[in-house]
Amino acid sequence: MLIVLTCILVPIALLTVWVHDIALDTDRYVATVSPLASEPAIEAAAVKRITHAADVRVDGSQAASDIAAWLRSQGLPPRAANAVEGLGPQLDSAVNDTVEKVATRFVESDRFERIWTTANREAHSAVVHALTGEGRGAVGVNGGTVTLDVGEAVDQVKEALVDAGLSPASKIRDVDKQMVLLQSDQLEKIRDGAHLLDVIGNWFPVIVVVIGTAGVLLAYRRRRALARTALGAAFACLVVAIVLVVVRRYYLDHLPPQVQSEAAAAAVFDTLLHFLRVSLRTAIVLGVVIALGAYLIGPGRLPRAIRGTSDRTADSAAHWAYGHQIRTGRAGTWTQAHRRWIALAALLIVALVFSLGNHPTVLTVLLLVLVLLALLALLALLAASGRVTIEAEKVTRSPEDGR
């Protein structure tokens, strides 16, 4: 029961770490969302939203008509005046293109990135409230909709338009300009669970590890129990990872009209869940590695063959070294006498390094496995050198005992 409970709780523990360390930690949250400011999909959505919010209106037809009338009064031929009067739509298009170009130049500049980062940092409490209650600040929460106020960006674009000579931009209305970041009917239902997960915080993973350890220690066959626990937890994380893929596809297929860009919504979704996905992949790989390690120390034919080949290789290297006057002395004999405890200590040190890591990844797991294998190989060589030294001393003492 403890082992089954551990397998179920491992992905939930990873979720608590994500909520506590990512969604509810200002520095980590800002570090997570800052790259979004240079994401092409976000830039395109911001340009579209700012351009629409700027709402610079020039009556091109009226302006062209006035110009044509003035030219007629100055003696311009009627055909030429009529041609000028027909330029109204082109004038409207030119104004719109100018607004879009200025907005694009602003969004692609460092100023937009600074505004984005500053707004997210100052409004992080609103992001927290997106999970636990009502939002406030630049990021707002209303029901299941999370929005970002791009008013400051619109104001700076307005100023840039006026500086560029487009005087009608000074008449842009001073209103809230909201950009919908996320909308979900389930957001309010998630808040109660998110609040509970926040209270549990980082203690929940420790509790899960304690439960799993107790299950393995109480099992009749501990090595097999360890392997099954690791594989069960890895399978549970794999199921959650697949569910996230399905949820992402379902969400993007059912975007509400308020979300203007599917690509931007996908970028926000992927960015916010990036560390959770990395944690799930890391747990899957770690579970497989632990199960494989438990299998290789077992009594099976393949594990015995692998261990036998390793020992024979180490013995051959030790005999060659001894014959070339390369000896380890007491270090080798001591290692041979305490090999099992040294190996256990090395395993515990590697496990401690992993547990103290700041959000370890799959690469972290693989590097630690390589380090552990290198330590075990060095241990095998020292132990083999100790055995060769002991054998050589026995051979040396035998003739002396005969005399």
Side-chain angles (χ1 to χ4, degrees):
M1 291 293 293
L2 291 174
I3 289 174
V4 171
L5 185 61
T6 300
C7 296
I8 296 174
L9 292 180
V10 164
I12 299 177
L14 296 179
L15 180 61
T16 65
V17 173
W18 175 75
V19 171
H20 188 271
D21 289 351
I22 305 298
L24 304 182
D25 183 274
T26 299
D27 292 335
R28 194 174 297 279
Y29 170 77
V30 171
T32 300
V33 300
S34 290
L36 282 174
S38 57
E39 179 72 26
I42 296 294
E43 289 182 344
V47 168
K48 181 179 179 181
R49 187 68 188 95
I50 292 172
T51 302
H52 178 73
D55 195 22
V56 178
R57 296 190 181 276
V58 175
D59 192 339
S61 298
Q62 183 61 47
S65 179
D66 293 342
I67 294 173
W70 180 80
L71 291 174
R72 286 192 189 98
S73 67
Q74 300 299 315
L76 188 71
R79 181 176 296 180
N82 292 337
V84 172
E85 190 173 3
L87 294 177
Q90 287 80 356
L91 184 58
D92 285 333
S93 177
V95 171
N96 292 335
D97 289 344
T98 300
V99 174
E100 184 174 349
K101 287 179 181 178
V102 172
T104 301
R105 192 182 310 118
F106 170 76
V107 168
E108 292 178 352
S109 68
D110 294 338
R111 289 185 297 166
F112 179 73
E113 294 184 9
R114 289 195 296 269
I115 289 176
W116 176 278
T117 301
T118 302
N120 276 281
R121 179 174 294 278
E122 293 178 351
H124 183 260
S125 60
V127 177
V128 174
H129 282 279
L131 296 174
T132 60
E134 289 299 322
R136 60 180 182 270
V139 176
V141 182
N142 184 10
T145 304
V146 181
T147 60
L148 176 67
D149 187 356
V150 295
E152 184 178 355
V154 173
D155 292 339
Q156 294 204 21
V157 170
K158 171 182 174 180
E159 181 180 347
L161 290 171
V162 174
D163 293 340
L166 196 60
S167 57
S170 61
K171 299 179 181 179
I172 294 175
R173 295 186 303 274
D174 186 14
V175 296
D176 289 339
K177 296 89 179 175
Q178 300 295 330
M179 176 179 174
V180 176
L181 297 178
L182 183 68
Q183 185 173 65
S184 173
D185 295 336
Q186 304 298 320
L187 185 58
E188 292 185 1
K189 297 180 181 179
I190 295 173
R191 288 174 182 165
D192 293 337
H195 178 68
L196 177 61
L197 292 177
D198 181 37
V199 172
I200 294 175
N202 290 327
W203 287 106
F204 192 63
V206 177
I207 295 173
V208 174
V209 171
V210 171
I211 294 174
T213 303
V216 172
L217 293 178
L218 292 174
Y220 178 68
R221 296 178 177 177
R222 295 175 180 172
R223 182 188 59 82
R224 183 174 297 180
L226 176 61
R228 289 179 176 177
T229 302
L231 288 179
F235 178 76
C237 291
L238 178 61
V239 171
V240 174
I242 294 175
V243 169
L244 287 179
V245 174
V246 175
V247 169
R248 180 185 185 275
R249 186 65 267 167
Y250 179 85
Y251 171 71
L252 295 179
D253 288 341
H254 296 80
L255 287 175
Q258 291 86 344
V259 180
Q260 292 88 359
S261 171
E262 178 179 338
V268 173
F269 186 98
D270 293 340
T271 299
L272 291 179
L273 294 182
H274 172 71
F275 285 105
L276 179 59
R277 288 175 168 175
V278 170
S279 298
L280 289 171
R281 289 196 294 266
T282 303
I284 293 171
V285 173
L286 180 62
V288 173
V289 168
I290 293 176
L292 183 61
Y295 170 73
L296 291 177
I297 63 174
R301 181 178 299 178
L302 180 61
R304 288 202 305 269
I306 293 176
R307 295 197 299 269
T309 301
S310 300
D311 288 339
R312 287 192 296 272
T313 302
D315 287 340
S316 299
H319 280 99
W320 179 90
Y322 192 88
H324 289 77
Q325 304 300 315
I326 302 175
R327 301 171 185 178
T328 57
R330 292 183 179 180
T333 56
W334 184 85
T335 301
Q336 168 61 18
H338 304 87
R339 179 179 179 180
R340 177 170 297 183
W341 292 106
I342 298 174
L344 180 60
L347 179 60
L348 292 177
I349 291 174
V350 171
L352 180 62
V353 172
F354 176 82
S355 62
L356 295 178
N358 188 14
H359 293 278
T361 62
V362 173
L363 180 61
T364 304
V365 175
L366 296 179
L367 288 177
L368 289 177
V369 169
L370 291 178
V371 170
L372 179 61
L373 291 177
L375 291 175
L376 293 178
L378 178 61
L379 181 62
L381 288 174
L382 288 174
S385 177
R387 289 195 298 271
V388 171
T389 300
I390 294 173
E391 292 173 359
E393 290 177 352
K394 288 182 179 179
V395 172
T396 303
R397 292 171 183 171
S398 294
E400 294 178 356
D401 294 341
R403 287 196 299 267

